[in-house]
Amino acid sequence: MKHLLSAADLSRDEAVLILDTAAELAAVTDRSVKKLPTLRGLTVVNLFFEDSTRTRISFEVAAKRLSADVINFAAKGSSVSKGESLKDTALTLEAMGADAVVIRHQASGAPHRLATSGWIGGSVVNAGDGTHEHPTQALLDAFTLRRHLRDGAGDLAGLRVAIVGDILHSRVARSNVLLLQTLGADVTLIAPPTLMPFGVESWPCRFSYDIDAVLPDVDAVMMLRVQAERMQAAYFPSSLEYSRMYGLDSRRMAMLPEHAIVMHPGPMNRGMEISADVADSPRAVMVEQVTNGVNVRMAVLYLLLGGRQEETR
Amino acid sequence: MSATVLRGVRPYGEDPVDIVIADGVIVDLVAPGSGDGEVIDADGLIALPGFVDVHTHLREPGREDAETVRTGSQAAALGGFTCVHAMANTSPVADTAGVVEQVWRLGQEAGLVDVRPVGAVTVGLEGQRMAELGAMAESAARVRMFSDDGKCVHDAVLMRRALEYVKAFDGVVAQHAQEPRLTENAQMNEGELSGRLGLAGWPAVAEEAIIARDVLLAQHVGSRLHVCHVSTAGSVEVVRWAKSKGINVTAEVTPHHLLLTEELVATYDPIYKVNPPLRRAEDVEALRAALADGTIDAIATDHAPHPREDKDCEWAAAAMGMLGLETAFSIALDTMVRPGLLSWRELAQRMSAAPARIGRVATQGHDLVVGAVANIAVVDPSASRVVSGADLASKSSNTPYAGMELPGRVVHTLFAGTPTVRDGALA
């Protein structure tokens, strides 16, 4: 594996290997000296064309714990905001010797362009592209699901997961559908019809417009951020109506089976897709998702770059 | 003036003859080897009337970095064209007699094809006020086709008035059918694939709804409508229905919509980004069938040159459009003639006679008969070539066919009797 562009790039065994590796690396996170020498001498560039403090920091911590040199290249306050093209930015990073580029970009497919255009020689990790994919988010979600519901081992065969919210614009949903399906889980997407992607019927999952009908039969529910601005474009009439019909409040949480967990990729819109008492309840695993994000990203960087470091020695 | 002889050529693929040309006109069709004059060897090759493109972007004035009237004319001649219609979305926009005359004059100076400027329907392509269509029609450029191509004349009242107004000088409004609200920020055909790729969809209904409205408007006011780059099976159905009702509508299809499908977008390579977008295989099938049965009247290239930097980027940032002039014949051969959907005579209709009639170009689109203006494309259907952007005469290289082996070759092009292309190179 040279790049991680899409969750669809991962076979079941590759995905499980990443999760197993993340579990091993999690042990490091628990030590007092949280550092491994694995990627010493390698350079990881965080190339962020979109603001995302949490994802960038997660990748930065992951790379640093593996002793890689980290360069943060944010679009704001850089040459990118002066109109430099993706190509020239890539050529610059290549000239500086980037071994891996972690890219977040507002345009769907930008990581593919970076990986296939010949502009750079290093590995490309998709840290979220437009409304396309966010594969490391799906990996950390799978890791979290496995830890809570599958004793932290193997795949997710038979696990029932509902993903609720703005599926249409969600790269998290796309990557999760692909990855969770690869791992054997049974995914149901829930959204008003206006926020469901065109052609969802042919996706490898179920879909429903009725959250109440689905919740009693799932092992986990993943709530997605819904931007209130969507109502300006007539996706739904009001925030109130959205939260009444699709928001997760304590009444709905009570419909979930006893063992089911509540997830959210963050940042949350409290009062919109999730109520404060649900967000703060013991069933909500958002804080743990963040921790798992670091471990999973360490595993991805390790598996993409570990071999490369052997070569340089 | 001495005579020129196209020796041993087969008009429409039929029996070989010598075509004798003098003073820009076909003066004789005689037995092979018997014509007298300067000989151009065309033994066994096929002669067709010079191709006429009703949809070309020559980019001049304003974007001479992408194409000029001269380089676009060269590309056209090499593609077997003897006439192109230069779209109005230049900078400044071709919305006045001054600009259309400038483009027309540049075409005359290049002297390789008839460059027929298309006038903008609305001032600055803004869709607000009608441009001076009458002044453009009366100018030296004699504009007959008007289009805001690149943008849709979406205001129903403005469209109605434009359709009515051009009746005074036998003009036609060529509509870029794209409902703007349904296609805000649209990146590719809306379907299962756009959902998966996370690219904003351009739904077929946004094209079909405008065509449906416009054929009804054309019927209501008794005017002439031309539909640019029809791209969906549904649009074909609407046009077919309109023609069955006797509505005066014509339609064009691009070579790329006859060959390429949306699956190519999965590469995220913006070379495949075009407007209207590449559609499904079912649409391609419907477009071929419609071109075969005459529902679609003409092949039009929508030749859209863009400089490298406008394609060498991420998908969303890239410009829409692809080159077409130098590959149109090969695509038509591949998709229509070889599968038996069009005979050579029918292809001549679709690539020459019909587009000349749509644009009201009296000197183009003639049959290869004595007395006709000698606008002739001589082609070799048995040849083939691997396309390379760098080999094209166009100033830009944004061809989606790079690396593909395409059948057929334009060997000679004669423009009003004068060879503009000989043996596949500019004369």
Side-chain angles (χ1 to χ4, degrees):
Chain A
M1 199 166 69
K2 163 125 197 225
H3 308 294
L4 180 59
L5 305 177
S6 162
D9 297 344
L10 299 172
S11 67
R12 179 210 170 267
D13 289 351
E14 284 171 327
V16 170
L17 174 64
I18 293 174
L19 301 184
D20 289 347
T21 307
E24 284 172 37
L25 292 167
V28 177
T29 313
D30 295 337
R31 293 196 317 211
S32 55
V33 180
K34 300 178 167 65
K35 211 152 179 173
L36 285 172
T38 323
L39 299 185
R40 188 178 292 152
L42 298 183
T43 302
V44 174
V45 176
N46 285 323
L47 178 57
F48 275 58
F49 290 83
E50 235 182 29
D51 286 334
S52 173
T53 312
R54 54 175 59 221
T55 304
R56 183 185 54 73
I57 289 176
S58 181
F59 270 106
E60 183 173 352
V61 170
K64 283 182 170 166
R65 285 195 183 152
L66 294 170
S67 304
D69 295 322
V70 179
I71 299 169
N72 288 313
F73 196 115
K76 282 194 178 149
S78 75
S79 50
V80 172
S81 58
K82 294 172 193 150
E84 186 177 76
S85 69
L86 176 63
K87 177 179 179 174
D88 288 322
T89 305
L91 294 175
T92 302
L93 300 179
E94 177 69 2
M96 290 174 181
D99 296 290
V101 176
V102 176
I103 178 175
R104 160 69 63 100
H105 202 288
Q106 61 280 358
S108 298
H112 288 72
R113 278 302 270 165
L114 210 53
T116 59
S117 57
W119 299 333
I120 59 168
S123 292
V124 176
V125 179
N126 182 358
D129 62 328
T131 54
H132 179 225
E133 282 213 46
H134 193 355
T136 60
Q137 176 70 43
L139 283 163
L140 80 86
D141 289 334
F143 186 88
T144 306
L145 289 165
R146 192 173 84 150
R147 193 155 174 156
H148 279 271
L149 301 163
R150 286 293 182 269
D151 295 326
D155 61 18
L156 302 175
L159 198 75
R160 300 160 304 169
V161 182
I163 305 177
V164 189
D166 185 357
I167 311 291
L168 177 64
H169 299 96
S170 176
R171 49 195 173 211
V172 175
R174 280 173 181 75
S175 285
N176 262 307
V177 166
L178 294 166
L179 182 72
L180 298 184
Q181 194 261 350
T182 299
L183 289 170
D186 180 357
V187 178
T188 305
L189 300 175
I190 300 167
T194 46
L195 291 177
M196 207 63 100
F198 195 90
V200 71
E201 308 79 26
S202 57
W203 287 25
C205 62
R206 303 169 206 267
F207 68 99
S208 170
Y209 307 132
D210 182 358
I211 185 171
D212 292 338
V214 178
L215 289 183
D217 298 311
V218 296
D219 303 305
V221 58
M222 194 182 294
M223 304 306 295
L224 300 177
R225 180 181 173 80
V226 174
Q227 295 175 326
E229 307 86 74
R230 297 286 180 217
M231 69 185 167
Q232 314 300 349
Y235 287 106
F236 51 87
S238 71
S239 303
L240 269 178
E241 174 154 321
Y242 180 84
S243 93
R244 196 161 54 235
M245 294 189 70
Y246 293 96
L248 189 64
D249 55 11
S250 42
R251 179 185 68 83
R252 286 205 169 108
M253 187 167 66
M255 298 166 72
L256 288 166
E258 199 74 25
H259 65 277
I261 58 171
V262 175
M263 305 168 75
H264 194 300
M268 289 186 281
N269 260 330
R270 286 171 184 250
M272 180 72 173
E273 71 270 2
I274 190 164
S275 71
D277 45 347
V278 173
D280 296 332
S281 84
R283 309 177 74 161
V285 297
M286 278 68 102
V287 175
E288 195 202 314
Q289 283 176 274
V290 175
T291 310
N292 295 340
V294 174
N295 295 327
V296 156
R297 286 167 181 133
M298 284 173 78
V300 167
L301 291 172
Y302 172 77
L303 292 168
L304 289 179
L305 294 180
R308 176 177 285 237
Q309 211 229 12
E310 296 301 315
E311 287 163 28
T312 47
R313 275 190 181 159
Chain B
M1 190 176 162
S2 64
T4 304
V5 178
L6 271 178
R7 174 139 294 164
V9 78
R10 296 156 55 214
Y12 310 101
E14 293 158 12
D15 293 338
V17 295
D18 281 2
I19 299 180
V20 186
I21 297 153
D23 296 324
V25 175
I26 297 175
V27 293
D28 217 349
L29 297 172
V30 296
S34 63
D36 208 13
E38 190 207 332
V39 170
I40 299 174
D41 179 35
D43 189 39
L45 304 178
I46 293 176
L48 298 168
F51 305 142
V52 175
D53 191 7
V54 286
H55 196 143
T56 318
H57 296 275
L58 294 180
R59 301 295 187 221
E60 194 176 1
R63 287 308 301 267
E64 292 83 357
D65 58 328
E67 195 81 284
T68 64
V69 171
R70 180 172 298 278
T71 59
S73 295
Q74 290 171 345
L78 286 163
F81 289 88
T82 52
C83 176
V84 298
H85 288 70
M87 275 299 172
N89 62 340
T90 48
S91 179
V93 170
D95 58 2
T96 62
V99 178
V100 294
E101 285 193 350
Q102 181 195 356
V103 172
W104 176 76
R105 202 160 31 244
L106 288 166
Q108 299 277 105
E109 284 165 19
L112 295 166
V113 292
D114 270 335
V115 173
R116 299 274 309 195
V118 175
V121 177
T122 66
V123 175
L125 310 176
E126 299 281 337
Q128 303 290 325
R129 282 185 303 127
M130 199 191 293
E132 290 187 354
L133 309 186
M136 291 188 271
E138 285 187 354
S139 74
R142 313 292 299 164
V143 175
R144 288 296 174 271
M145 177 179 274
F146 299 90
S147 181
D148 276 3
D149 181 64
K151 291 185 177 177
C152 181
V153 182
H154 62 90
D155 183 296
V157 172
L158 203 50
M159 185 62 185
R160 174 203 167 136
R161 299 281 183 247
L163 284 168
E164 289 176 309
Y165 196 77
V166 298
K167 286 201 283 186
F169 33 84
D170 194 24
V172 65
V173 178
Q175 176 70 292
H176 171 115
Q178 175 179 4
E179 210 293 315
R181 287 276 286 144
L182 282 171
T183 51
E184 277 172 16
N185 195 34
Q187 300 291 320
M188 69 171 294
N189 179 49
E190 181 161 281
E192 192 269 331
L193 188 62
S194 66
R196 205 147 48 78
L197 296 178
L199 291 172
W202 199 132
V205 60
E207 175 173 307
E208 293 152 9
I210 292 292
I211 298 175
R213 181 199 73 179
D214 287 352
V215 296
L216 292 171
L217 282 174
Q219 180 184 43
H220 182 61
V221 301
S223 191
R224 192 157 75 90
L225 170 73
H226 177 69
V227 184
C228 297
H229 41 52
V230 166
S231 71
T232 76
S235 297
V236 165
E237 286 308 306
V238 175
V239 172
R240 189 172 281 138
W241 174 84
K243 287 191 165 185
S244 77
K245 296 291 175 196
I247 297 170
N248 198 351
V249 58
T250 53
E252 69 187 38
V253 61
T254 70
H256 47 273
H257 287 113
L258 288 173
L259 181 67
L260 308 177
T261 57
E262 63 171 356
E263 279 72 25
L264 292 164
V265 179
T267 61
Y268 288 107
D269 185 343
I271 200 76
Y272 302 115
K273 187 173 177 182
V274 65
N275 192 23
L278 300 179
R279 304 285 189 183
R280 306 162 307 160
E282 302 94 289
D283 296 303
V284 168
E285 284 309 306
L287 292 168
R288 290 182 185 185
L291 185 64
D293 72 20
T295 301
I296 294 176
D297 303 80
I299 294 175
T301 66
D302 197 3
H303 178 81
H306 290 290
R308 269 245 324 274
E309 63 269 23
D310 287 349
K311 290 289 188 182
D312 225 1
C313 55
E314 62 274 25
W315 182 275
M320 295 191 259
M322 36 182 72
L323 298 184
L325 286 170
E326 294 172 73
T327 44
F329 167 70
S330 290
I331 306 295
L333 174 63
D334 187 42
T335 60
M336 301 302 297
V337 180
R338 284 200 166 172
L341 290 169
L342 288 181
S343 67
W344 288 111
R345 279 191 182 269
E346 287 166 334
L347 182 74
Q349 278 292 318
R350 307 298 189 272
M351 289 191 74
S352 183
R357 199 164 54 243
I358 292 165
R360 296 291 191 260
V361 194
T363 54
Q364 296 281 344
H366 296 179
D367 277 342
L368 299 175
V369 295
V370 172
V373 178
N375 292 316
I376 304 174
V378 178
V379 300
D380 179 359
S382 63
S384 72
R385 59 165 170 165
V386 175
V387 179
S388 154
D391 294 345
L392 300 176
S394 172
K395 207 163 182 179
S396 296
S397 57
N398 54 305
T399 173
Y401 313 111
M404 283 174 67
E405 184 169 353
L406 294 182
R409 191 168 81 100
V410 175
V411 183
H412 311 299
T413 307
L414 276 71
F415 172 50
T418 304
T420 52
V421 171
R422 281 189 76 159
D423 297 317
L426 291 168

